[in-house]
């Protein structure tokens, strides 16, 4: 029984060995692909399918130098086109990531070689895999690491191609590993070759291909990642029918066709030797079987003993079989890796003189695959100067059996010059070399890198010599600088001692002079309170003015001495910023009015109200800068802007800007402007006076506050002085100083704080003068946008808004204020207009205005309207409908209303009227020029704006005919040609009106013609 059992086992082993290497027979290899009706209908609607291959994934899929789609996937695709009748449209993209992004957007339909991952399954459907290749771990040749697994890579820098399946695999299964993402396989291998990373993980086929092409010879496979690429076709997720169609196409591809494709791209060639491992193993098995049979026949007498030990022998054989199976698996893996690694291989059978090349050899030598290599022809590929070297190496190997490893130049079939690393080994039988074989590697890239490195090394040596020379020069210069520094230190010590003595002297003298000067100014004030003649009053005012100037200079000297002596200390406290700024400007308002300048304060929205600062020194800086602007500006406006600056979440600053349109400062003089006793130039000192200490003190005060100060200016065009200080918020919410309640007044004797928005300078002066006579103070802005900011950030009892202004008109500004939700959103607002027609009144009231006053302004009527509005606001109601109706008097045919103009002159006084009438011609000329330009440009809005400005000013100055004419032009603005016809008559009416004003006021005004 035991004897026959052994015989059967032996025959079964022989039968199994005989099947190794055979190709399985596939039934119906030419079977036609059959589609369902739904699939056929879908194909008819989608004759062309877009694909987006990985352009650098050789040999799986790639584009050659001519832009042709090649590789394993490309060959499968061509078979599918024939079997399915589909046309695939290939798009050459930049890299695999670009293909992924287009697939997500459904800008391509199919991937030709993709591994299914959870991330990709969210937007793509996959067929069954048609190709399986392991992902291996590669390291440098000089690395001591071996038999690596993914788990053993912890702590190493590992490169993978971004977006590849093995990238998703490692991220999902080993998220703790340190991954370096590269755009393609070639970049990853180069980083590994140069030692920038510790390992590269990728599929062996592509890695071997690019190592060969790039000439990278210092890397090796050191382990298996445990992951296998299972490449399949994938299509967009909204086309499930296409998945079924593609799978049917793959199923229709025969085994022979698949083997032909894979052997074309991933095989090193067929082994010609009979002594294959399978054959040797078969012979060993047969020999073992024969020995067993012989032993059983020869030892029949010992049959019982054999049967007794059979169980023991079978256990030993089972254990040995397991070991052999493991060895066979490792051998198969190595065979698979070797067949995929297309690093050129060659062999020469010295008995037949036959030379065989791998596919990569044809690529390296740039010859067609139908080229028949032979030993003599292959020598011709070596450069002439290298042929003797390789011939001698081969001869030496045949004689001694020793191999060779050479780096020599070659010339390809296309005439290109390359460098190759040629390695050869010998197979010896019976003491004779019968076969030569080896590897052939293109190392052109490496040689170029070496050449570049050598060139860089030589250049670096030259630069090092230059650096040494420069270093010696720097040491010599450093010695000279040390000597110079010691000399300068001695001079600086002497200068500081002199500066300290001067500062102490200035401090003492300032205190000594300040005491009698206070007495002089006090006595001058008392003298001015007496009943003096005009000459005496003028002389007393001169004394007081001179004393104030001298006191300012003394204060500057005292501050400067404190700063120099290091005794100046800031006294910070919580303040209400709007009150400080407004009170500072009020101090300088009279001085500005004397030069007919307007002061404007424009705070940024959201500006903090309560801050922590030295209020006295902040007021001193603001006063100095605004005073300078007033001093050096003859006409126009001086604007103070305050805004918040943020460098980051923790650092905030306040920025103050004082802007004027004065004489300006040249670039040369700006550089020394903040130095002591310095002004722009000598002529400035002679014309405007001053000590030249103010700006120096401002600079030092700002720096004490940890801020910065500077100037932006252009000669003849004005200046902007700015400074920044750190924003420190007040510890508690700050409120403005209590002001007397202004609502509910019966007469105009209460002192109201009134915001006036008027763009015409003449009207600004007129309204300010009238309200000043009534005991009210005004704050002027020249457009609606500034009015909104002022109303929402300041404290006013009432506002007067002109209806038409640049940037934003009065009704629009009122809407902004009413809709702001601010505490000041209910500020009473009265419209001041020259066109209060009945059809226009609803617009003003709908915007939220409380009342309307017409020009020319009648002071008693205006005060009455103010009283009615404030009473109504206090009671929470509105003025009566009767009070809302504005009646326009019939226009008289005369030039103007003489009686009203005379009353106006009496109210304002001769000096104010003279000042107004001196500015009126310039204002009229400016608006007439604007009107002409607007007519030429056919700009309806500018025509209305210019005409409205003329109309408003004329109405305010009682010039009825001119106001009527301007109103007519305003109404005709839609047709610029009609307005142009009226221009000569308008200019004539202006000349007549100027003469009329001059006659009544006994002034001689220049004609505008």
């Amino acid at each position: 029984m035991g004897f026959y059992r052994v015989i059967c086992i032996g025959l079964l082993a022989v039968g199994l060995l005989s099947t190794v290497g055979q190709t399985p027979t596939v039934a119906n290899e030419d079977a036609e692909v059959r589609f369902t009706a739904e699939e056929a209908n879908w194909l008819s609607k989608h004759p062309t399918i877009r694909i987006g291959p990985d352009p650098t994934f050789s040999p799986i899929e790639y584009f050659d130098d001519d832009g042709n789609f090649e590789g394993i996937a490309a060959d499968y695709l061509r078979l599918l086109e024939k079997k399915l009748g589909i046309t695939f449209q290939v798009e050459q993209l930049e890299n695999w990531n670009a293909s992924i992004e287009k697939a997500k957007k459904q800008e391509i339909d199919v991937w030709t070689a993709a591994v299914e991952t959870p991330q990709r399954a969210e937007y793509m459907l996959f067929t069954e895999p048609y190709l399986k290749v392991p992902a291996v771990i590669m390291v440098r040749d000089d690395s001591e690491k071996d038999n690596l697994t993914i788990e053993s890579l912890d702590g190493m820098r590992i490169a993978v191609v971004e977006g590849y399946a093995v990238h998703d695999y490692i991220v999902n299964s080993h998220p703790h590993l340190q991954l370096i993402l590269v755009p393609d396989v070639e970049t990853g291998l180069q980083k590994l070759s140069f030692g920038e990373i510790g390992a590269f993980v990728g599929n062996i086929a592509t890695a071997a291909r690019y190592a060969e092409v790039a000439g990278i010879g210092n890397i090796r496979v050191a382990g298996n990642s445990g992951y296998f690429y299972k490449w399949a076709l994938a299509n967009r997720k909204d086309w499930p029918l296409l998945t079924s169609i593609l799978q049917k196409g793959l199923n229709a591809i025969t085994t022979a066709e698949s083997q032909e494709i894979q052997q074309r791209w991933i095989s090193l060639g067929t082994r010609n030797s009979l002594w294959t491992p399978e054959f040797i193993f078969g012979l060993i098995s047969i020999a073992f079987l024969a020995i067993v049979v012989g032993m059983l026949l020869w030892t029949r007498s010992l049959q019982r003993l054999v049967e007794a030990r059979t169980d023991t022998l079978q256990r030993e054989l089972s254990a040995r079989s397991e070991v052999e199976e493991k060895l066979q698996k490792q051998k198969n893996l190595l065979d698979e890796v070797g067949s995929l690694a297309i690093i050129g291989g060659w062999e020469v059978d010295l008995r037949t003189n036959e030379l065989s090349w791998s596919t990569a050899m044809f690529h390296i030598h740039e010859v067609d695959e139908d080229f028949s290599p032979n030993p003599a022809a292959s020598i011709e590929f070596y450069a002439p100067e290298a042929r003797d070297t390789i011939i001698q190496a081969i001869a030496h190997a045949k004689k001694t059996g020793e191999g060779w490893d050479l780096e020599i130049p070659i010339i390809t079939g296309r005439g290109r010059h390359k460098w190759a690393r040629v390695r050869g080994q010998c197979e010896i039988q019976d003491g004779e070399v019968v076969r030569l074989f080896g590897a052939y590697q293109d190392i052109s890239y490496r040689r170029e890198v070496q050449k570049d490195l050598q060139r860089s090394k030589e250049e670096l040596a030259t630069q090092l010599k230059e650096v040494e020379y420069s270093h010696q020069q720097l040491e010599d210069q450093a010695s000279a600088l040390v000597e110079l520094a010691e000399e300068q230190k001695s001079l600086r010590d002497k200068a500081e001692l002199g500066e300290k003595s001067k500062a102490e002297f200035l401090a003492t003298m300032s205190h000594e002079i300040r005491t009698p000067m206070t007495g002089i100014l006090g006595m001058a004030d008392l003298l001015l309170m007496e009943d003096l003649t005009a000459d005496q009053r003028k002389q007393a005012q001169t004394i007081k003015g001179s004393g104030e100037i001298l006191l300012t200079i003394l204060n500057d000297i005292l501050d400067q001495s404190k700063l120099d002596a290091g005794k100046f200390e800031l006294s910070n406290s919580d303040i209400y910023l709007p009150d400080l700024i407004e009170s500072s400007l009020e101090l300088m308002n009279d001085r500005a009015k004397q030069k007919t300048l307007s002061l404007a304060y424009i705070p940024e929205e959201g500006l903090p109200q309560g801050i922590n600062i030295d209020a006295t020194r902040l007021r001193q800086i603001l006063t100095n800068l605004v005073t300078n602007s007033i001093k050096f500006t003859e006409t126009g406006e001086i604007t103070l802007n305050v805004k918040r600056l943020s460098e980051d979440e923790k650092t905030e600053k306040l920025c103050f800007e004082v802007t004027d349109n004065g004489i300006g400062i040249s670039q040369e003089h700006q550089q020394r402007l903040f130095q002591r006793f310095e002004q722009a130039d000598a002529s400035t000192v002679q014309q405007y006076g001053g000590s030249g200490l103010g700006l120096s003190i401002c600079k030092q005060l700002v720096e004490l506050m940890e801020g910065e100060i500077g100037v932006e200016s252009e000669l003849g065009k004005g200046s902007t002085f700015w400074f920044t200080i750190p924003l420190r918020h007040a510890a508690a919410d700050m409120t403005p100083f209590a002001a007397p309640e202004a609502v509910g007044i019966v007469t105009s004797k209460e002192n109201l704080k009134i915001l006036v928005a008027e763009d015409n300078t003449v009207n600004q002066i007129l309204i300010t003068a009238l309200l000043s006579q009534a005991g009210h103070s005004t704050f002027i802005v020249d457009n609606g946008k500034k009015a909104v900011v002022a109303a929402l950030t300041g404290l006013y009892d009432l506002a007067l808004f002109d209806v038409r202004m640049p940037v934003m008109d009065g009704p629009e500004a009122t809407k902004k204020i009413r809709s702001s939700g601010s505490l000041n959103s209910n500020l009473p607002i009265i419209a001041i207009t020259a066109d209060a027609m009945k059809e226009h009144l609803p617009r003003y009231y709908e915007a939220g205005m409380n009342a309307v006053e017409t020009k020319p302004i009648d002071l008693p009527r205006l005060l009455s309207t103010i009283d009615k509005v404030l009473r109504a606001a206090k009671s929470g109601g509105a003025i009566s409908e009767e009070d809302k109706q504005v009646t326009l008097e019939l226009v008289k045919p005369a030039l103007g209303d003489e009686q009203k103009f005379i009353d106006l002159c009496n109210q304002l006084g001769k000096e104010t009227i003279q000042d107004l009438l001196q500015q009126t011609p310039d204002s009229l000329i400016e608006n007439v020029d604007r009107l002409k330009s607007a007519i030429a440009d056919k700009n309806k809005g500018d025509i209305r704006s210019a005409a409205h400005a003329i109309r408003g000013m004329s109405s305010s100055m009682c010039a009825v005919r001119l106001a009527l004419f301007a109103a007519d032009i305003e109404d005709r603005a839609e047709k610029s040609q009609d307005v142009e016809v009226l221009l000569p008559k308008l200019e004539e009416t202006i000349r007549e009106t100027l003469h009329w004003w001059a006659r009544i006021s006994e002034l001689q005004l220049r004609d505008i013609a």
Side-chain angles (χ1 to χ4, degrees):
M1 179 69 180
F3 171 80
Y4 289 107
R5 184 175 181 180
V6 172
I7 292 296
C8 291
I9 292 173
L11 292 174
L12 178 61
V14 172
L16 288 174
L17 287 170
S18 66
T19 64
V20 173
Q22 294 183 2
T23 301
T25 303
V26 179
N28 299 323
E29 290 189 349
D30 298 323
E32 181 182 354
V33 177
R34 297 185 182 277
F35 301 117
T36 65
E38 188 178 8
E39 290 171 343
N41 180 52
W42 190 93
L43 282 174
S44 66
K45 294 180 180 179
H46 301 84
T48 301
I49 307 297
R50 301 169 297 176
I51 67 170
D54 186 341
T56 58
F57 198 36
S58 174
I60 309 302
E61 58 180 7
Y62 69 101
F63 290 90
D64 64 14
D65 294 340
D66 298 325
N68 299 316
F69 180 38
E70 298 292 348
I72 296 173
D75 286 353
Y76 271 96
L77 204 66
R78 295 184 185 103
L79 285 177
L80 288 176
E81 284 185 320
K82 294 178 181 178
K83 294 179 182 295
L84 299 177
I86 296 177
T87 300
F88 290 102
Q89 177 183 324
V90 182
E91 293 190 21
Q92 185 170 354
L93 305 176
E94 182 181 357
N95 52 40
W96 177 240
N97 278 334
S99 182
I100 290 175
E101 292 304 318
K102 278 186 170 285
K104 290 179 180 177
K105 299 175 183 176
Q106 297 187 343
E107 295 176 359
I108 60 170
D109 308 318
V110 170
W111 285 336
T112 51
V115 177
E116 183 173 4
T117 66
Q119 291 89 336
R120 296 173 182 175
E122 293 177 1
Y123 54 92
M124 298 293 275
L125 299 173
F126 290 80
T127 67
E128 293 297 323
Y130 64 85
L131 185 63
K132 177 180 176 181
V133 174
V136 297
I137 302 170
M138 302 179 193
V139 298
R140 283 168 54 99
D141 278 342
D142 54 6
S143 173
E144 297 180 356
K145 296 183 180 295
D146 217 338
N147 297 321
L148 295 175
T149 63
I150 286 293
E151 290 79 5
S152 64
L153 297 180
D154 194 10
M156 296 177 64
R157 287 164 51 86
I158 313 154
V160 294
V161 179
E162 183 178 9
Y164 276 16
V166 74
H167 173 203
D168 295 339
Y169 165 71
I170 295 176
V171 169
N172 294 333
S173 61
H174 300 84
H176 61 283
L177 294 182
Q178 182 183 359
L179 293 184
I180 307 299
L181 302 183
V182 295
D184 49 51
V185 175
E186 185 173 0
T187 302
L189 295 179
Q190 288 176 350
K191 286 182 176 289
L192 179 59
S193 177
F194 292 141
E196 298 178 18
I197 56 176
F200 175 79
V201 181
N203 81 77
I204 183 61
T206 305
R209 172 81 172 190
Y210 280 103
E212 172 194 355
V213 173
I216 300 173
N218 63 336
I219 63 176
R220 62 182 174 85
V221 175
N224 196 338
S225 69
Y227 179 77
F228 279 81
Y229 277 91
K230 298 177 182 178
W231 283 302
L233 298 176
N235 62 269
R236 47 194 286 186
K237 200 165 188 176
D238 60 338
W239 286 0
L241 280 177
L242 180 57
T243 310
S244 173
I245 293 168
L246 293 175
Q247 187 61 59
K248 287 182 177 181
L250 288 175
N251 294 341
I253 295 174
T254 67
T255 302
E257 289 171 332
S258 293
Q259 288 179 348
E260 181 183 356
I261 292 173
Q262 295 183 24
Q263 288 175 1
R264 182 182 305 132
W265 292 99
I266 62 178
S267 175
L268 284 173
T270 303
R271 269 195 300 257
N272 295 321
S273 176
L274 177 63
W275 295 95
T276 64
E278 292 85 356
F279 181 76
I280 294 172
F281 184 73
L283 289 178
I284 293 172
S285 299
I286 293 171
F288 174 75
L289 178 60
I291 292 171
V292 171
V293 172
M295 287 178 64
L296 287 173
L297 292 174
W298 179 62
T299 58
R300 182 177 299 274
S301 61
L302 300 176
Q303 182 176 358
R304 291 182 181 180
L305 178 61
V306 171
E307 289 177 354
R309 298 188 58 186
T310 297
D311 291 339
T312 303
L313 182 59
Q314 285 180 341
R315 285 194 296 270
E316 292 176 355
L317 287 174
S318 176
R320 180 177 178 180
S321 178
E322 290 178 4
V323 173
E324 288 178 347
E325 185 179 354
K326 291 181 180 179
L327 291 174
Q328 186 63 34
K329 286 183 179 179
Q330 293 182 357
K331 177 182 176 298
N332 291 340
L333 176 61
L334 292 175
D335 286 343
E336 189 175 11
V337 170
S339 65
L340 292 174
I342 52 175
I343 301 174
W346 60 271
E347 66 173 0
V348 178
D349 189 335
L350 297 180
R351 292 166 296 191
T352 60
N353 203 33
E354 291 182 1
L355 172 63
S356 298
W357 278 3
S358 70
T359 303
M361 291 289 288
F362 293 92
H363 293 166
I364 294 173
H365 288 85
E366 296 182 341
V367 295
D368 296 333
E369 292 189 9
D370 57 1
F371 174 79
S372 297
N374 60 75
S378 66
I379 295 296
E380 298 298 320
F381 284 106
Y382 294 98
E385 66 272 18
R387 291 171 188 169
D388 288 343
T389 303
I390 192 65
I391 291 172
Q392 292 173 7
I394 294 172
H396 182 74
K398 291 178 179 179
K399 182 178 180 180
T400 64
E402 296 177 358
W404 67 89
D405 188 346
L406 300 173
E407 293 185 3
I408 50 181
I410 65 171
I411 302 174
T412 70
R414 297 181 183 177
R416 292 176 58 192
H417 289 261
K418 292 184 177 181
W419 277 85
R421 182 183 181 186
V422 184
R423 301 177 68 181
Q425 293 293 332
C426 303
E427 180 181 339
I428 303 174
Q429 292 182 10
D430 299 327
E432 181 182 357
V433 177
V434 296
R435 187 170 71 99
L436 299 177
F437 63 93
Y440 204 98
Q441 184 178 9
D442 185 346
I443 59 169
S444 303
Y445 177 77
R446 195 187 78 189
R447 294 285 297 198
E448 287 296 325
V449 171
Q450 289 175 342
K451 188 184 297 183
D452 290 342
L453 288 174
Q454 181 61 31
R455 189 183 303 113
S456 300
K457 182 178 179 181
E458 293 171 356
E459 291 176 356
L460 181 60
T462 303
Q463 292 173 358
L464 285 174
K465 291 180 180 178
E466 295 176 354
V467 169
E468 290 176 358
Y469 176 74
S470 300
H471 180 69
Q472 185 59 45
Q473 285 189 321
L474 286 174
E475 287 183 349
D476 295 341
Q477 293 174 0
S479 299
L481 287 174
V482 169
E483 294 178 1
L484 181 61
E486 292 176 352
E487 182 180 350
Q488 289 180 339
K489 183 178 183 301
S490 176
L491 294 175
R492 185 173 62 252
D493 292 342
K494 294 178 181 178
E496 288 176 352
L497 180 60
E499 186 70 22
K500 182 178 180 181
S501 300
K502 181 180 72 174
E504 292 174 353
F505 170 76
L506 288 176
T508 302
M509 292 305 296
S510 294
H511 280 291
E512 292 298 325
I513 298 173
R514 189 182 181 88
T515 301
M517 184 52 62
T518 303
I520 293 172
L521 291 175
M523 293 306 295
D525 284 334
L526 292 175
L527 186 61
L528 286 169
M529 297 173 67
E530 299 294 332
D531 187 12
L532 304 176
T533 65
D535 289 342
Q536 289 172 335
R537 181 168 298 279
K538 184 176 181 179
Q539 291 167 358
Q541 288 173 340
T542 301
I543 293 172
K544 182 180 179 183
S546 299
E548 288 175 342
I549 293 173
L550 183 58
L551 186 60
T552 299
I553 296 173
L554 290 174
N555 288 337
D556 288 345
I557 292 174
L558 182 59
D559 285 343
Q560 187 63 62
S561 67
K562 288 181 179 179
L563 290 166
D564 289 343
K567 298 178 180 179
F568 202 99
E569 294 181 0
L570 296 175
S571 179
N572 293 339
S573 61
D574 291 348
I575 65 166
Y576 188 69
L577 182 61
D579 272 350
L580 183 141
I581 293 175
E582 290 178 14
S583 63
S584 299
L585 293 179
E586 285 177 0
L587 292 174
M588 295 169 282
N589 197 37
D590 290 340
R591 186 178 301 181
K593 286 181 179 179
Q594 291 173 8
K595 299 185 71 174
T596 66
L597 299 174
S598 61
L599 295 181
Y601 166 45
I602 306 177
E604 180 183 64
E605 291 189 20
L607 200 66
Q609 306 292 296
I611 65 171
N612 183 271
I613 196 71
D614 188 326
T616 302
R617 297 309 171 188
L618 178 58
R619 189 192 306 274
Q620 180 179 351
I621 297 169
L622 289 174
T623 302
N624 195 300
L625 297 181
V626 175
T627 301
N628 276 355
S629 291
I630 295 173
K631 180 192 296 185
F632 297 110
T633 304
E634 297 302 325
T635 60
E637 180 182 68
I638 296 167
T639 304
L640 171 60
N641 291 280
V642 184
K643 55 189 178 183
R644 185 204 307 246
L645 302 178
S646 297
E647 295 182 358
D648 52 52
E649 295 181 356
K650 297 182 180 180
T651 306
E652 288 187 307
K653 296 181 179 181
L654 283 179
C655 179
F656 299 79
E657 296 177 345
V658 178
T659 303
D660 62 59
N661 55 356
I663 62 175
I665 307 165
S666 68
Q667 291 292 330
E668 177 187 355
H669 293 135
Q670 288 179 33
Q671 298 177 0
R672 63 172 189 269
L673 196 60
F674 292 96
Q675 299 176 12
R676 282 179 293 177
F677 308 109
E678 289 285 351
Q679 290 192 352
D681 54 38
S683 61
T684 303
V685 179
Q686 294 174 359
Q687 182 176 355
Y688 297 100
S691 65
L693 280 175
L695 290 178
S696 172
I697 293 172
C698 286
K699 182 176 186 297
Q700 294 175 82
L701 289 176
V702 168
E703 289 174 350
L704 272 177
M705 295 177 178
E706 301 177 1
E708 297 178 325
I709 189 170
V711 62
E712 297 173 3
S713 181
E714 187 175 348
L715 194 61
K717 294 187 178 181
S719 306
T720 295
F721 282 85
W722 59 267
F723 67 94
T724 61
I725 55 175
L727 172 57
R728 288 185 284 268
H729 294 274
D733 292 339
M734 301 297 295
T735 57
F737 297 117
E741 188 174 338
V743 296
I745 60 172
V746 178
T747 67
S748 298
K749 294 181 181 179
E750 294 289 343
N751 182 12
L752 299 178
K753 190 174 181 181
I754 300 175
L755 172 64
V756 179
E758 168 65 62
D759 61 307
N760 187 278
T761 305
V762 174
N763 289 343
Q764 290 175 357
I765 298 173
L766 178 62
I767 292 171
T768 300
L770 289 173
L771 293 176
S772 177
Q773 285 194 359
H776 304 316
S777 60
T778 58
F779 184 76
I780 304 292
V781 295
D782 61 4
N783 64 57
K785 186 174 182 180
K786 294 179 181 178
V788 172
V789 175
L792 296 179
T793 58
L795 291 175
Y796 302 99
D797 302 300
L798 184 81
L800 303 180
F801 283 4
D802 187 18
V803 167
R804 291 194 179 181
M805 292 181 290
V807 183
M808 184 185 294
D809 63 18
E812 183 64 24
T814 304
K815 287 181 182 178
K816 295 282 187 185
I817 294 170
R818 297 294 186 236
S819 62
S820 67
S822 167
L823 294 176
N824 298 340
S825 61
N826 293 322
L827 175 71
I829 300 174
I830 298 175
I832 303 294
T833 181
D835 61 353
M837 297 294 187
K838 288 185 178 180
E839 59 268 25
H840 295 166
L841 293 180
R843 175 172 174 254
Y844 306 149
Y845 289 115
E846 287 172 4
M849 292 178 149
N850 300 83
V852 180
E853 276 295 311
T854 59
K855 300 173 182 177
I857 295 173
D858 182 276
L859 182 60
R861 187 180 68 195
L862 176 61
L863 294 177
S864 175
T865 301
I866 291 173
D867 179 53
K868 292 175 183 178
V869 168
L870 291 178
R871 285 179 181 275
K874 184 177 182 181
S875 63
I879 63 174
S880 66
E881 292 298 321
E882 181 180 353
D883 290 332
K884 286 185 177 181
Q885 300 304 316
V886 178
T887 303
L888 293 179
E889 298 181 6
L890 294 177
V891 178
K892 299 179 181 179
L895 280 170
D897 190 332
E898 290 192 14
Q899 186 57 50
K900 280 192 174 183
F901 187 68
I902 292 172
D903 292 343
L904 185 65
C905 292
N906 292 334
Q907 280 183 330
L908 300 180
K910 183 176 180 180
E911 290 184 0
T912 303
I913 284 294
Q914 183 176 359
D915 201 15
L916 283 172
L917 293 179
Q918 289 290 351
Q919 296 186 45
T920 299
D922 290 334
S923 180
L924 286 172
I925 291 171
E926 178 184 350
N927 284 296
V928 169
D929 289 340
R930 284 178 56 209
L931 184 60
K932 289 179 179 179
S933 297
I935 293 171
D937 296 339
K938 297 183 180 180
N939 189 322
K940 302 172 186 178
D942 287 352
I943 292 175
R944 290 194 194 94
S945 177
H948 176 76
I950 296 173
R951 179 181 180 185
M953 185 189 66
S954 305
S955 298
S956 298
M957 297 291 288
C958 308
V960 180
R961 186 183 299 172
L962 182 57
L964 181 61
F965 211 96
D968 189 25
I969 291 176
E970 194 173 352
D971 292 338
R972 298 190 187 191
E974 290 295 326
K975 297 182 179 180
S976 55
Q977 61 270 25
D978 292 348
V979 177
E980 189 172 7
V981 175
L982 297 177
L983 276 179
K985 186 64 176 175
L986 174 66
E987 291 180 328
E988 181 182 351
T989 304
I990 290 175
R991 285 194 293 271
E992 292 173 350
T993 302
L994 289 174
H995 289 306
W996 179 74
W997 277 327
R999 177 176 58 79
I1000 297 176
S1001 62
E1002 297 180 355
L1003 295 172
Q1004 298 299 320
L1005 299 180
R1006 63 182 177 87
D1007 196 289
I1008 69 167

